[in-house]
Amino acid sequence: MASNILAKNTPRFVESVMTASAGDFKSNAIFEKIGEEMGKNGADYVKKIKGIFCFKVKNAKGEQGVWIVDAKNGNGSVKFVNEGKGDVTIAMGDEDMIKMMLGQLNPQQAFFQGKLKITGNMGLAMKMKEFQAQAKAKL
């Protein structure tokens, strides 16, 4: 009986809530390449980096995608998630993320222009260049 009451009182708009998928972001290709590289050499990245990155990316529609790049545990991993935390959080627009990871946008300039926001371990953020080189070489 409780389930009938719940079903009748559940607002219909809840069903239409949009959630972004990894495919809704151009920068997903970057994270796929990082994931492939982690699959091959994850233990090396874990030894070098020793941290977890949380990338929060906004696409042209204003949707946010979150990738967790774990270069701290086991052989590392890359996951697209709804919410996440890392030792460092990097927030950027989709287009700017691609440009930065391909070396077309200087991270320091992006930071000072407000295109890049970093919270958490700034020293770890500097190690992001390990992923930049791989993304640039693979795309």
Side-chain angles (χ1 to χ4, degrees), residues 18-58:
M18 264 183 34
T19 55
S21 69
D24 294 333
F25 298 86
K26 293 178 182 178
S27 56
N28 184 51
I30 299 286
F31 295 105
E32 286 178 350
K33 294 298 178 192
I34 293 171
E36 287 174 18
E37 190 61 28
M38 290 289 247
K40 295 175 191 171
N41 303 308
D44 293 336
Y45 284 103
V46 170
K47 283 180 192 175
K48 285 183 205 175
I49 297 171
K50 299 177 185 158
I52 299 172
F53 293 80
C54 177
F55 290 92
K56 294 184 177 184
V57 181
K58 279 215 170 151

Side-chain angles (χ1 to χ4, degrees), residues 69-80:
V69 178
D70 183 344
K72 186 176 189 176
N73 302 299
N75 289 324
S77 65
V78 177
K79 295 177 185 166
F80 182 79

